[in-house]
Each structure stands twice: as structure tokens, then as C-alpha cells.
Amino acid sequence: MDSDLNENQLAMIKEQLASRCSAGLSAVLLTVPLLKPVQNEEEILGNIEVFFGPEVQKYIMILFTHGDELEDLDKAIDEHLKHTDHTDLQRLVTECGGKFHCFNNKKKVEGQVEKLLQKTEGMKKENRGNFLMEQMQRHDSMDVLNLSCDSDDLRIVLLGVSGAGKSSIGNAILGREAFKESRTRESEIQRGRVGDRNISIIDTPGFFNTHLTDEELQEQMMKILDLCDPGPDVFLLVINLETFEEDERNIVEKIEEIFSVRALKITMVLFTGRELMSKKEWKNLKFGEKFEDLVSKCRAYHEISRNDESNQICIKNLLNKIEEFIKQNDEQHFKSKVDPVSRTRKTKEKKKQEENSRIKEQENGRQEQTMLETFEINSTMEEGATLFEPEELQLRKTTTDICEDTVLQGMISLYGLSHERIGEENEVKTQENHWKIRQKKEQTTEEKHLTQADENF
Ligand SMILES: Nc1nc2c(ncn2[C@@H]2O[C@H](COP(=O)(O)OP(=O)(O)OP(=O)(O)O)[C@@H](O)[C@H]2O)c(=O)[nH]1
Ligand SMILES: [Mg+2]
């Protein structure tokens, strides 16, 4: 957090952090030597937030060192902090939500490491998990580098079957653990600067994915178009060479089915796992029918091996090839025939439909409850007492509802009520009916009490 570090050095530290701590951070320990006046710690705290993003604040703990000097003074850390001379330390601790630990690096006091770990564990629990590197990168890409998916970005969409290596390729291009590997469930965009290019990568769930229904997959594929407005420059179809020949599934058809045949014009095949093949095997595969068929439909291909992924030159070559391919396509990005407005409308309509069926389900639940109450009232009536008049049933539902409700149909036939008759009593609100039935129930109970009182008298 040295203020002398320039932007490039800071960016390098970020990259290293992201790749080395992909599982996230449980704690950020700010070490402060005790008994020395606070120098620029507050500034450092501010820098940490700028560096990691504001969400990191909950994970910072002060680790005071030189605890031995405190022992020499025969003082406990709490006592030391409370002293009026140490308002600077108090302020620092307060800024870190009161989280601190004192360490004696000289004497290696027994249990001090365990206690520190307990505290960090406690902090992790309180924060419901680690601080994820994505939180830092989100902050990084949005606030620090100020990148957004604008029309100047090179917009790459990764497509392929599950496990083909889409997320890994996305990470290799961006040079950081931008995407979580294995079983991607949602389309996601990550941005970065590679060389002199601003790149937006959209990772997607795999085709023929058993964890998503066809409808969910379709939804995630449509999300791509919203994520990379004005449209993808290239669909990178990632194919794992290890499983390519045995795979019977037709991925090209799947792309056509989802995005239309026009999508193939900007689709480039990227074969991964080249390192697992000998030169001869690769040559045989290249002259095979299946390979030719795929490449002819998609018009361009590139191959990359696992070892190449961490090699910046290989990634640069891949990006050059992609740009060359885009130029060959007259820089025409993919445009969906379904315009964003109607896509949004479709999503809204779908949401409305879901909401309507949810309301209907709730309504049905309420009606069933009302039915139960009716039966309950009837069963509490003494033998010979008057049953509800059929009209009371009408009060509770509209014609259509009654006709659709099988339980009520049973009641209708029981009371000899015709559908036409019910039709005359249309659109009466449920709450109102509920109230009337309750009134009847109370009335019945009251009558029962009066009769009982009469008998007793
Ligand atoms: N040997 C080898 N392993 C790879 C390669 N690419 C990815 N893998 C591994 O294959 C597994 C799946 O890779 P992912 O990048 O998550 O695959 P994906 O296509 O994103 O998978 P889904 O998200 O499930 O659709 C991971 O364990 C990767 O480390 C490759 O080129 N060679
Ligand atoms: Mg994935």
C-alpha cells in the first residue's frame, strides 16, 4: 500500500492477488507497531478500500505487533488502548469495527496464533463467507479502470458444451480468475484490459447442460444479448479435443436453433486440449469428416493447449486471430432480430404470467381454506339444524372459478345448484364472502349458546 507504487505496479499486485487467492480472503490484517505513533495508517486504510472496493471494510482487522514492549510495561492491550494519549489508535480500531489482535513476535507467546485464527474465523462467520476476488475485480473494472461494455470493447461470447473449458479460456484471456470454473449456471460478463484492447467476455452455461432446463438455458442465452449490447463481435465455440470425436451431439444445430443461422457467420471454433494429442493424431483429426464439417460451417478455427493458456504470447495470438476474423466479417457484430425492447417486453410478460399464476395459486389456497371453514361450520351444527342455503355458496366465487373448482362442483351437485344460477351472482369479492360466512358462524354459535342457556334455565 505504499503510496510510491505506480498504477502498473498496483495492477500487477491485484492480478497476483486474484490468481493466488481465488477462493477469497477471510481477513485483511493491517499490521501496526504498538508504542510507535500512528503514521499513515489511516491513509492506508483508505487505500485498502480504494484497492479492494468498499466491501472489504468488514474484513479488516488491526494486528498490533511489538506486544513484548507492552509486557515490559506490564500493561494489557485494552488498558493501553484506553489511555487518553492513544486516541489515534482508538480511532484506527474504531474504523476497523473494533477488530484487533495483539502479537508478540519476539517471544512467540503460546496460543497467540490460535487466538488470531479464532478471531479471523469469527469474522468470516459474521461476514457469511470470504471476501471474494470477484468483489475486488468488480470494483476494479467499474471504478478504477472505468471500463464498461461500450461499443469499442472487443465483445467475445464463449459457447460450448458443459466442461469444454469456456470459463478457463475466459480466465486465460483476461489473465485472472474472472469466472468460476465448472458448472457455470448463468451467463456472466467480465471485462478487462489486455494489451491495448478493452475486452468484454461473456461466459455462458454449457449446451446440453443437465443442471438447467431447456427454458432456463434459452433464458441464459438471451441474457447474452442484453449483457453485450450492441451485440457480440464473435461467438467463440470452445470444443474440447479430448471428447470431440466421440461426441454425437450437434452443437452447430443448437447454435442455429437458439441464435439463428446468422450467428454462425461470426462463430469461430476454438479447440482446447491440443496438448493431449500427438502431431499425428491432430493431423488425422484435421482431415476427418467431422472436423471439416464443423470448420466449414463456422468458417474459422484456432487451437490452443492448456500450457498455452498462461502464455501471454499465445493469448495475444488468439486475440489477433479473433480480430482478423472480425475484420473478414466486415466488422459486423451479431444483431438479434428480436430487438431489446421486445426482449425486455417478453421477459416482463413472462414475469407477469408467473405473478398471475402465483396470485391464482394463493387465491385457490384461500378458497380451499374457505371450503374447509364451511365444512367445519356444518359439522359443528346440531342434527336437524338448517344447512347453509345454496346462495351462500354463490357468494364465495365467480362462475368461472366455481366451474373450475372440482371440490366446489361436488358441493354444487350436493345442493342441486345449477351453473346458470351461479352465473347470476357474478364477481363477488372473496373477502366479502369470507366475512358473511364468519358472520353466519358466529350467529350459529350464539344461537347454540342461547338454546343451551334456555335449557339450563
Ligand atoms: N486438460 C485440460 N483441462 C482443461 C482445459 N480447459 C479446462 N480444463 C479443465 O476442465 C474443467 C472444466 O473447465 P471449465 O472452464 O469450467 O469448463 P466450462 O466449459 O466452463 O464448463 P461449464 O461451466 O460446466 O459449462 C476444469 O477443471 C478445467 O480446469 C484444457 O484445455 N485442458
Ligand atoms: Mg463454465
Side-chain angles (χ1 to χ4, degrees):
M1 291 300 140
D2 195 321
S3 50
D4 291 341
L5 290 174
N6 64 34
E7 257 185 46
N8 283 345
Q9 287 165 318
L10 278 173
M12 205 186 293
I13 295 176
K14 273 188 181 182
E15 249 171 49
Q16 285 172 348
L17 266 174
S19 65
R20 289 180 193 169
C21 317
S22 54
L25 301 172
S26 306
V28 176
L29 301 178
L30 175 62
T31 51
V32 178
L34 264 173
L35 307 186
K36 274 195 187 169
V38 171
Q39 292 166 2
N40 60 345
E41 278 84 359
E42 280 184 86
E43 190 191 334
I44 292 177
L45 272 183
N47 285 347
I48 293 176
E49 275 191 42
V50 171
F51 191 76
F52 288 93
E55 290 160 77
V56 79
Q57 223 248 351
K58 296 183 288 181
Y59 295 84
I60 306 173
M61 183 187 283
I62 306 280
L63 180 61
F64 290 113
T65 57
H66 295 250
D68 47 305
E69 290 167 23
L70 210 56
E71 274 174 38
D72 294 344
L73 293 172
D74 200 20
K75 262 187 173 177
I77 177 78
D78 294 317
E79 204 184 333
H80 179 74
L81 289 177
K82 270 183 204 156
H83 201 280
T84 44
D85 286 351
H86 303 137
T87 47
D88 48 355
L89 288 179
Q90 288 162 16
R91 210 169 43 241
L92 205 58
V93 170
T94 311
E95 273 187 47
C96 293
K99 298 178 296 261
F100 69 90
H101 187 69
C102 185
F103 231 67
N104 180 345
N105 278 324
K106 258 200 176 160
K107 281 195 197 155
K108 310 265 180 258
V109 179
E110 206 183 313
Q112 65 175 355
V113 175
E114 286 77 9
K115 271 190 193 151
L116 172 67
L117 294 179
Q118 271 171 15
K119 282 185 185 174
T120 56
E121 273 300 312
M123 191 159 67
K124 182 177 158 183
K125 257 191 203 154
E126 215 169 273
N127 290 330
R128 299 197 178 154
N130 283 344
F131 172 82
L132 298 174
M133 287 300 117
E134 285 89 344
Q135 290 168 273
M136 176 177 81
Q137 282 150 2
R138 254 203 315 270
H139 172 72
D140 175 35
S141 46
M142 290 189 303
D143 302 338
V144 181
L145 293 177
N146 198 21
L147 291 176
S148 62
C149 180
D150 64 36
S151 48
D152 292 335
D153 280 10
L154 172 58
R155 300 175 301 276
I156 304 172
V157 173
L158 299 162
L159 297 178
V161 298
S162 221
K166 300 180 291 298
S167 307
S168 311
I169 284 291
N171 292 339
I173 295 174
L174 292 176
R176 58 184 168 92
E177 298 287 315
F179 302 106
K180 194 175 155 283
E181 289 180 19
S182 282
R183 302 220 178 126
T184 304
R185 293 184 66 99
E186 286 189 16
S187 295
E188 185 191 341
I189 188 166
Q190 288 286 344
R191 302 171 195 124
R193 190 164 177 84
V194 184
D196 55 356
R197 304 169 174 98
N198 286 347
I199 296 189
S200 287
I201 297 200
I202 294 94
D203 189 20
T204 63
F207 290 133
F208 314 108
N209 187 322
T210 50
H211 300 277
L212 296 177
T213 62
D214 280 354
E215 213 175 48
E216 284 168 335
L217 183 75
Q218 177 82 20
E219 206 172 294
Q220 290 308 317
M221 292 297 149
M222 287 304 113
K223 190 176 161 192
I224 296 171
L225 306 173
D226 292 328
L227 287 175
C228 71
D229 193 48
D233 286 314
V234 63
F235 285 113
L236 207 56
L237 173 56
V238 184
I239 303 265
N240 186 348
L241 281 170
E242 226 183 332
T243 50
F244 172 62
E245 284 204 283
E246 302 83 58
D247 201 339
E248 302 276 297
R249 298 168 297 190
N250 195 338
I251 194 148
V252 173
E253 255 178 27
K254 195 80 188 168
I255 296 177
E256 267 187 61
E257 184 190 310
I258 296 177
F259 298 103
S260 86
V261 70
R262 288 176 299 115
L264 296 178
K265 283 190 182 170
I266 62 150
T267 302
M268 180 171 144
V269 186
L270 179 68
F271 292 102
T272 64
R274 169 73 182 81
E275 80 283 3
L276 300 168
M277 300 182 102
S278 66
K279 272 190 181 169
K280 198 176 167 198
E281 280 173 323
W282 175 232
K283 208 171 159 188
N284 285 343
L285 187 128
K286 270 170 82 169
F287 287 109
E289 208 178 300
K290 196 170 176 186
F291 184 93
E292 284 217 341
D293 181 47
L294 177 67
V295 171
S296 65
K297 281 177 183 155
C298 299
R299 311 214 303 204
Y301 77 92
H302 188 75
E303 81 270 6
I304 195 163
S305 77
R306 186 77 174 147
N307 317 327
D308 290 344
E309 286 181 10
S310 51
N311 184 333
Q312 283 309 302
I313 297 175
C314 295
I315 293 298
K316 207 173 158 197
N317 286 343
L318 168 66
L319 291 175
N320 286 342
K321 186 121 183 203
I322 290 176
E323 286 201 330
E324 203 181 297
F325 176 61
I326 293 170
K327 271 193 195 132
Q328 277 169 15
N329 285 330
D330 296 328
E331 309 201 352
Q332 292 286 314
H333 59 76
F334 177 77
K335 284 185 210 125
S336 168
K337 284 219 164 134
V338 189
D339 67 287
V341 178
S342 47
R343 252 200 328 269
T344 317
R345 199 171 53 227
K346 264 191 178 175
T347 319
K348 274 187 185 163
E349 274 168 12
K350 198 172 166 229
K351 279 205 178 133
K352 205 173 161 190
Q353 270 173 12
E354 282 168 3
E355 181 63 13
N356 283 345
S357 51
R358 196 183 57 78
I359 292 173
K360 199 158 186 191
E361 265 172 34
Q362 274 182 355
E363 182 77 359
N364 284 344
R366 271 203 298 270
Q367 283 162 356
E368 267 166 33
Q369 177 68 25
T370 315
M371 281 298 301
L372 283 174
E373 281 186 26
T374 312
F375 283 122
E376 198 186 302
I377 296 165
N378 284 342
S379 61
T380 55
M381 282 184 172
E382 285 173 21
E383 224 183 275
T386 325
L387 284 169
F388 284 145
E389 289 300 319
E391 280 77 7
E392 287 183 50
L393 275 178
Q394 299 164 35
L395 291 171
R396 285 187 279 116
K397 288 197 161 196
T398 65
T399 318
T400 341
D401 287 338
I402 286 180
C403 294
E404 276 174 5
D405 190 323
T406 47
V407 184
L408 267 186
Q409 278 169 5
M411 293 286 284
I412 291 160
S413 62
L414 184 71
Y415 294 117
L417 199 64
S418 74
H419 287 177
E420 291 75 29
R421 174 102 190 270
I422 302 159
E424 291 162 19
E425 304 283 338
N426 233 347
E427 303 295 328
V428 183
K429 284 185 185 127
T430 313
Q431 283 94 335
E432 203 180 302
N433 310 330
H434 221 93
W435 179 81
K436 290 200 176 197
I437 286 177
R438 272 202 189 286
Q439 238 189 359
K440 181 83 182 176
K441 191 176 177 179
E442 278 162 18
Q443 201 183 332
T444 316
T445 322
E446 207 175 290
E447 275 167 12
K448 262 172 77 182
H449 285 155
L450 282 175
T451 321
Q452 190 72 45
D454 273 354
E455 274 169 15
N456 290 344
F457 182 73

